[in-house]
Amino acid sequence: MKILIIEDEPAIRDTLSDMLELNGYTVLVADDGPAGLKLIEQAPDLVLCDIGLPGMDGFQVLTAVRALPAGRDMPFVFLTARADRSDQRHGMALGADDYITKPFSEREILDAIEARVRRQQPLRERLAQLLDGRRAELDAEWSHELMTPLNGVLGGLDLIEEEAGSIEPSELKELLKLIRAGAERQLALSRKLVLYFELERLRAAPSPKPYRSQAADALATGVQRAAQAEHRAADVHVQASAAFVPLNASHLAAVVEELVVNALRFSKAGQPVAVVGSVSGSRYIIEVTDQGPGMTAEQLARVAAFTQFDRPRHNQQGLGLGLAIARAAAEIAGGTLNLQPGPGAVGLQAVLDLPLA
């Protein structure tokens, strides 16, 4: 294993380096944050980083590491002379894996490294098995999305176990809130993965029993969930005609939710998102129109599972599955999903074209 040490105190840095090399590790060393970030290019298996670095502190280093493709799921352990729990909570929220308080023993360092490796490796192996043979998924950077909320949950539980007798009720409540947020995010990601693979299965082997659901009801459910999740109920304007379509009601609601969430995330608060469901001959047309930046012709041609566009600029989280879920559900029902510029070439319009049941 290759370990990167980012520590400005020469005595600690040299002691750590010698200790790790004697235990069979390859060691990279840096005396400040910028130098450490350059060494991330050498793909260390784990980072040991002091918090109290001059200029660029450890929290800033962690934020910069997580922004790099090579550092998204890299185990990151803080070294600190401060045992302040607010620092620990802040670090866990940023995606830190562990804390080691100075002065530390050789056993503490080695145990921390082994624990991080054990925690990371099984998940990586499961992801590799799940993705084997799927070219689009192999190109995706979604392991980071799955591991980040788990780090918050496990880090919070570690802190509770270590300091169970001294944590104040208010601090415990804050920690539990952090753990719940990570667990809920993990649950949402898991549900989306399950839905995507369920739709892929149905597309490959359609159900012999035809579905039939009230489109207006499913549409209302999906819109409500999306508006609540994004806290923008006032920006969503809905108009839906009643009709039956050959699609599972929960799947249709999920599709509408994905389309509306995308429209809200790619438009600013206060900009309206129009959701219209109407009957046109033998078809039911659902249109979701936003006034955001829209998509280029190249991006429209590249829409696929586990694909996101302008992720850093839009600060996206998630797996890039929303449009893939919508397209798969449409095809199961014998319909289509089309993406096009909105009226007047403003924003994006997603058009779900389904047959009537």
Side-chain angles (χ1 to χ4, degrees):
M1 281 185 61
K2 188 187 300 180
I3 309 293
L4 169 60
I5 301 169
I6 308 176
E7 170 62 65
D8 63 313
E9 295 186 32
I12 296 177
R13 188 172 64 244
D14 293 344
T15 298
L16 268 175
S17 179
D18 292 344
M19 176 197 308
L20 293 175
E21 287 180 344
L22 286 172
N23 281 276
Y25 294 103
T26 299
V27 180
L28 305 172
V29 295
D31 57 8
D32 61 22
L37 290 176
K38 289 182 180 179
L39 292 175
I40 294 294
E41 298 174 0
Q42 297 188 33
D45 297 290
L46 183 140
V47 179
L48 295 172
C49 181
D50 183 28
I51 289 181
L53 295 169
M56 186 182 198
D57 68 22
F59 296 130
Q60 293 171 313
V61 173
L62 173 56
T63 300
V65 168
R66 290 293 185 246
L68 298 171
R72 293 186 187 280
D73 59 357
M74 187 176 292
F76 196 103
V77 177
F78 274 130
L79 305 174
T80 177
R82 298 176 291 185
D84 192 322
R85 280 194 286 268
S86 65
D87 283 342
Q88 294 177 321
R89 288 192 293 271
H90 181 48
M92 284 190 295
L94 293 175
D97 294 276
D98 205 350
Y99 270 79
I100 299 175
T101 303
K102 302 174 185 176
F104 45 77
S105 67
E106 178 177 347
R107 190 68 262 160
E108 285 179 296
I109 293 290
L110 298 178
D111 285 349
I113 292 173
E114 291 170 6
R116 294 316 110 188
V117 172
R118 283 197 303 270
R119 184 174 294 175
Q120 296 282 111
Q121 194 62 34
L123 180 56
R124 287 181 176 176
E125 290 173 356
R126 291 197 297 274
L127 288 174
Q129 291 170 359
L130 180 64
L131 299 178
D132 186 36
R134 302 186 71 90
R135 183 70 179 88
E137 291 86 337
L138 284 171
D139 285 339
E141 297 175 351
W142 57 285
S143 62
H144 168 69
E145 288 295 328
L146 291 177
M147 283 192 263
T148 295
L150 282 177
N151 284 340
V153 171
L154 294 172
L157 292 173
D158 285 345
L159 190 56
I160 290 173
E161 289 176 352
E162 291 169 5
E163 305 189 30
S166 61
I167 298 179
E168 296 293 331
S170 60
E171 293 178 323
L172 178 59
K173 186 175 182 180
E174 187 176 349
L175 272 173
L176 291 174
K177 184 178 179 181
L178 174 66
I179 292 170
R180 174 174 285 279
E184 288 178 347
R185 181 176 166 193
Q186 184 72 30
L187 179 61
L189 292 171
S190 300
R191 283 175 172 167
K192 189 168 290 190
L193 274 172
V194 169
L195 175 59
Y196 170 70
F197 287 115
E198 180 184 355
L199 291 173
E200 287 292 289
R201 178 181 59 79
L202 287 173
R203 187 158 60 171
S207 171
K209 181 181 179 181
Y211 292 112
R212 188 172 186 268
S213 63
Q214 174 53 256
D217 293 342
L219 188 149
T221 299
V223 167
Q224 182 182 29
R225 291 200 303 238
Q228 288 178 346
E230 299 301 310
H231 307 289
R232 288 182 57 188
D235 292 341
V236 185
H237 307 279
V238 185
Q239 182 180 352
S241 301
F244 288 94
V245 294
L247 189 61
N248 180 294
S250 64
H251 291 168
L252 180 55
V255 167
V256 172
E257 181 181 1
E258 293 292 343
L259 295 178
V260 176
V261 164
N262 273 353
L264 290 171
R265 288 182 179 174
F266 282 86
S267 61
K268 298 178 181 177
Q271 289 182 327
V273 170
V275 184
V276 178
S278 60
V279 177
S280 177
S282 62
R283 314 292 293 183
Y284 193 84
I285 312 297
I286 298 174
E287 297 172 330
V288 179
T289 309
D290 64 55
Q291 295 185 7
M295 297 175 69
T296 66
E298 179 186 0
Q299 289 172 337
L300 291 173
R302 289 173 50 216
V303 170
F306 303 97
T307 301
Q308 292 179 317
F309 303 104
D310 293 338
R311 180 184 175 102
R313 182 159 66 91
H314 295 290
N315 193 28
Q316 296 180 68
Q317 292 180 343
L319 302 172
L321 283 177
L323 293 176
I325 286 172
R327 180 161 288 168
E331 292 178 4
I332 289 168
T336 59
L337 172 71
N338 294 304
L339 303 173
Q340 60 195 33
V346 176
L348 182 71
Q349 185 175 68
V351 181
L352 194 65
D353 184 336
L354 303 174
L356 294 175

